[in-house]
């Protein structure tokens, strides 16, 4: 049986109080206004398959959200379902199997159940902001049974739909050139639209990682998506409220750090495979070194999996999204002011970075690592803020990419070398210690060779 499911989290609601009953919490005025502006924009996406049914949690805030969905989509009847309040996925599946082929169901519910249900549908828990809407095509005989088609939240335009949004699940770097689908509708600024687009990118990269955590590029794509978002937030930190900028920046940094060691292991393992021609016995796929690295990666992957299944990591992402939304609301620049400030700041950043490039001590890892990070920030700004400036600063992007590449090799050799020394200290096996130290020395020698070439 095939059809489509639309998961909707209720809009912004009254805060919980110790003496209050959670059942009766209502949508806030701002929550109603936000949904009223957002839902008509996406209504054509919800109804294009026809025969839309709306099921809702009985809780007041969900019922109010469902009523707004019904109004936007011209659906006359709303059915309350207790399993949308309790998160009982088994009960939901029993009800779903009673529906006809080609069903089109909108389900209005709550977190953390929306995230846990996406885990059941597609194998990945996706964080749902308040008012967020996700559409899945479903085949109950398949494994997994669902496929995410798109995910949008209040403040995001529905213009980039199905094909474009679906592509974003696979790699964060595919976002280049998609920001122009978000050309400032309503009261939103172009900057806010671009940030919301980047937040959606993190969500999809997070889902892609969960679907294939063994694939090194899935962890890398998620970290890149978060770094892109942090760079764009950092670009405008002086224009908004510092408290919210700091909260958002720290939250996103902590989430990215969760995947940092996993990424370091992936880079090191790839380097070891490239060195197999020099050390065939030492670096055999089933030998001591690679077995140690693969075991370490599996342990790190298991630790991340525990954070995901417990809901802790998803909750951190939601907190980061909330802080990001508050920061955006605190920025008072309009599009014209933002354009002038953006062009001026990018030019200023470029001059400062190129001056540091002339002065950097390439033998100093901290200096090269810091400069590489700043080059990334500038490249991301020049790339993703292009809709604000009116055109992409291709020359800056090209120059920063060159800086990144040059410094990246030096940084990777340094990180690999120290990581191998740490591993040598952790094992009591003399032969394995020797292997790790030999490989570590090789990394430092290659780094030194590059430095000597630069000096010449």
């Amino acid at each position: 049986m095939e059809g489509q499911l639309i998961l909707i989290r209720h809009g912004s609601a009254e805060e919980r109080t110790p003496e209050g009953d959670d059942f009766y919490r209502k949508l806030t005025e701002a929550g109603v206004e936000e949904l009223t502006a957002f839902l008509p924009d996406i209504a054509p996406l919800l109804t294009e398959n026809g025969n839309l049914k709306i099921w809702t949690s009985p809780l007041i805030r969900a019922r109010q959200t469902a009523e707004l969905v019904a109004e936007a989509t011209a659906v006359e009847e709303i059915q309350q379902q207790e399993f949308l309040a309790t998160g009982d996925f088994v009960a939901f599946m029993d009800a779903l199997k009673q529906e006809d082929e080609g069903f089109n169901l909108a389900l209005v519910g709550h977190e953390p159940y929306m995230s846990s249900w996406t885990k059941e549908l597609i194998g990945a828990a996706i964080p749902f902001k308040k008012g967020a809407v996700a559409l899945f095509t479903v085949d109950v005989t398949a494994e997994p049974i669902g496929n995410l088609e798109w995910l949008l939240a209040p403040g995001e335009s529905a213009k980039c739909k199905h094909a474009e949004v679906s592509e974003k699940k696979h790699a964060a770097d595919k976002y280049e050139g998609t920001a122009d689908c978000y050309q400032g509708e309503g009261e939103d600024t172009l900057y806010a639209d671009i940030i919301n687009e980047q937040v959606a990118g993190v969500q999809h990269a997070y889902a892609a990682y969960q679907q294939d955590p063994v694939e090194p590029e899935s962890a890398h794509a998620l970290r890149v998506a978060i770094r892109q978002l942090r760079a764009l937030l950092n670009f405008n930190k002086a224009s908004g409220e510092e408290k919210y900028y700091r909260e958002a920046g720290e939250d996103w940094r902590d989430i990215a750090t969760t995947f940092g060691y996993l990424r370091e292991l992936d880079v090191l393992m790839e380097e070891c495979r490239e060195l197999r021609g020099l050390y065939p016995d030492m670096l055999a796929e089933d030998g001591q070194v690679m077995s140690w690295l693969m075991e370490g990666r599996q342990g790190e992957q298991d630790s991340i999996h525990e954070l995901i299944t417990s809901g802790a990591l998803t909750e951190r992402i939601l907190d980061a999204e909330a802080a990001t939304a508050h920061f955006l609301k605190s920025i008072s620049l309009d599009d014209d002011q933002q354009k002038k400030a953006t062009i001026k700041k990018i030019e200023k950043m470029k001059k400062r970075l190129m001056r540091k490039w002339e002065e950097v001590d390439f033998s100093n890892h901290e200096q090269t690592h810091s400069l590489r990070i700043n080059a990334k920030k500038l490249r991301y700004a020049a790339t993703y803020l292009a809709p604000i400036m009116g055109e992409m600063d291709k020359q800056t992007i090209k120059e920063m990419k060159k800086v990144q590449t040059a410094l990246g090799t030096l940084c990777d050799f340094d990180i690999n070398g120290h990581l191998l020394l740490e591993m040598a200290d952790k094992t009591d096996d003399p032969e394995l210690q020797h292997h790790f130290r030999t490989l570590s020395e090789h990394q430092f020698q290659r780094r030194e060779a590059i430095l000597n070439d630069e000096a010449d």
Side-chain angles (χ1 to χ4, degrees):
M1 184 172 67
E2 298 181 6
Q4 70 178 24
L5 294 175
I6 303 156
L7 301 191
I8 305 172
R9 185 185 179 189
H10 66 77
S12 297
E14 297 169 338
E15 296 293 331
R16 297 174 186 267
T17 59
E19 66 281 358
D21 188 334
D22 182 62
F23 182 92
Y24 292 101
R25 288 170 54 210
K26 299 178 181 179
L27 295 179
T28 62
E29 288 186 13
V32 172
E33 291 175 2
E34 193 172 52
L35 288 173
T36 301
F38 170 60
L39 290 171
D41 189 34
I42 66 166
L45 305 181
L46 308 184
T47 57
E48 63 185 356
N49 281 12
N51 302 317
L52 178 67
K53 289 186 178 181
I54 302 174
W55 293 355
T56 183
S57 156
L59 276 61
I60 296 297
R61 58 190 181 277
R63 284 161 48 192
Q64 289 179 313
T65 301
E67 288 167 1
L68 292 173
V69 175
E71 181 179 351
T73 57
V75 173
E76 296 182 358
E77 184 178 353
I78 301 172
Q79 186 175 349
Q80 295 185 34
Q81 300 283 12
E82 188 64 29
F83 53 70
L84 283 168
T86 62
D88 188 340
F89 188 77
V90 174
F92 159 64
M93 286 301 296
D94 289 341
L96 179 63
K97 290 173 183 176
Q98 305 304 312
E99 294 297 305
D100 295 331
E101 182 78 19
F103 58 84
N104 186 21
L105 284 174
L107 314 175
V108 184
H110 313 264
E111 278 284 66
Y113 305 133
M114 294 288 97
S115 296
S116 63
W117 281 24
T118 63
K119 179 77 172 177
E120 298 289 344
L121 290 171
I122 66 172
I126 300 173
F128 273 69
K129 291 192 288 187
K130 291 174 182 176
V133 180
L135 186 144
F136 304 81
T137 51
V138 173
D139 179 354
V140 297
T141 65
E143 181 59 39
I145 67 172
N147 182 62
L148 176 63
E149 298 297 334
W150 52 263
L151 169 67
L152 291 168
E156 299 170 14
S157 170
K159 289 183 179 180
C160 288
K161 62 179 202 174
H162 300 197
E164 293 93 333
V165 179
S166 180
E167 286 180 3
K168 297 173 191 171
K169 292 187 292 180
H170 302 297
D173 279 334
K174 290 189 178 178
Y175 285 85
E176 296 192 12
T178 60
D180 59 356
C181 294
Y182 291 79
Q183 295 290 320
E185 301 252 321
E187 296 180 353
D188 284 350
T189 62
L190 282 169
Y191 177 74
D193 291 336
I194 291 167
I195 292 298
N196 285 325
E197 169 77 350
Q198 295 296 322
V199 170
V202 173
Q203 292 174 329
H204 287 293
Y206 181 49
Y209 169 78
Q210 293 175 72
Q211 290 173 316
D212 194 3
V214 177
E215 168 56 49
E217 282 306 308
S218 66
H220 179 52
L222 177 55
R223 291 183 75 223
V224 168
I226 295 172
R227 285 177 170 177
Q228 290 169 344
L229 175 57
R230 288 189 67 217
L232 297 179
L233 290 174
N234 176 270
F235 185 87
N236 231 352
K237 67 178 181 180
S239 303
E241 191 165 333
E242 181 183 357
K243 171 188 174 183
Y244 294 129
Y245 166 76
R246 187 174 62 253
E247 287 179 0
E250 290 175 355
D251 285 346
W252 289 122
R253 181 192 59 208
D254 290 345
I255 295 163
T257 301
T258 301
F259 298 86
Y261 185 57
L262 189 69
R263 176 59 183 167
E264 288 180 356
L265 287 172
D266 285 336
V267 171
L268 178 56
M269 290 169 70
E270 181 60 28
E271 173 68 7
C272 287
R273 291 187 176 102
E274 291 184 4
L275 293 177
R276 193 166 292 163
L278 289 175
Y279 305 102
D281 295 332
M282 184 188 300
L283 296 177
E285 194 68 32
D286 58 351
Q288 285 182 303
V289 171
M290 294 304 294
S291 295
W292 173 285
L293 295 178
M294 287 187 284
E295 183 177 333
R297 190 193 194 282
Q298 185 61 54
E300 192 67 12
Q301 183 181 312
D302 290 344
S303 296
I304 295 172
H305 180 69
E306 289 180 12
L307 288 174
I308 293 172
T309 54
S310 69
L313 193 53
T314 299
E315 189 64 31
R316 281 159 62 184
I317 291 175
L318 288 171
D319 287 343
E321 290 179 357
T324 300
H326 286 305
F327 174 65
L328 290 176
K329 289 179 181 178
S330 72
I331 296 174
S332 59
L333 299 181
D334 62 26
D335 284 342
D336 288 338
Q337 293 170 324
Q338 187 72 66
K339 180 176 181 178
K340 294 176 183 177
T342 297
I343 294 172
K344 182 177 180 181
K345 184 164 184 179
I346 283 182
E347 188 60 33
K348 183 178 179 180
M349 289 173 66
K350 182 177 178 180
K351 288 180 179 179
R352 183 169 63 242
L353 190 141
M354 296 311 295
R355 185 172 64 250
K356 289 184 176 180
W357 172 257
E358 295 296 330
E359 300 170 352
V360 67
D361 177 2
F362 289 96
S363 65
N364 186 309
H365 174 69
E366 284 70 28
Q367 286 188 27
T368 56
H369 182 62
S370 175
L371 189 58
R372 182 190 184 197
I373 290 174
N374 287 331
K376 285 183 180 180
K377 289 180 179 179
L378 181 51
R379 181 168 71 90
Y380 294 152
T383 300
Y384 296 107
L385 298 180
I388 293 174
M389 297 183 290
E391 61 180 350
M392 188 174 290
D393 188 346
K394 295 181 180 179
Q395 183 61 31
T396 295
I397 294 169
K398 182 179 179 180
E399 291 176 2
M400 293 307 104
K401 185 68 173 178
K402 183 179 179 180
V403 171
Q404 274 185 251
T405 301
L407 298 180
T409 304
L410 286 173
C411 291
D412 285 347
F413 283 148
D414 190 89
I415 293 170
N416 287 344
H418 284 97
L419 197 57
L420 287 161
L421 286 179
E422 291 175 10
M423 292 175 178
D425 291 338
K426 290 179 181 179
T427 180
D428 296 327
D429 186 322
E431 183 178 7
L432 192 53
Q433 285 179 346
H434 173 70
H435 291 339
F436 284 141
R437 288 178 179 142
T438 298
L439 292 169
S440 174
E441 183 62 26
H442 186 275
Q443 296 296 288
F444 290 135
Q445 287 175 354
R446 292 182 70 183
R447 186 174 189 275
E448 193 66 27
I450 293 175
L451 292 172
N452 289 336
D453 286 343
E454 290 293 331
D456 293 340

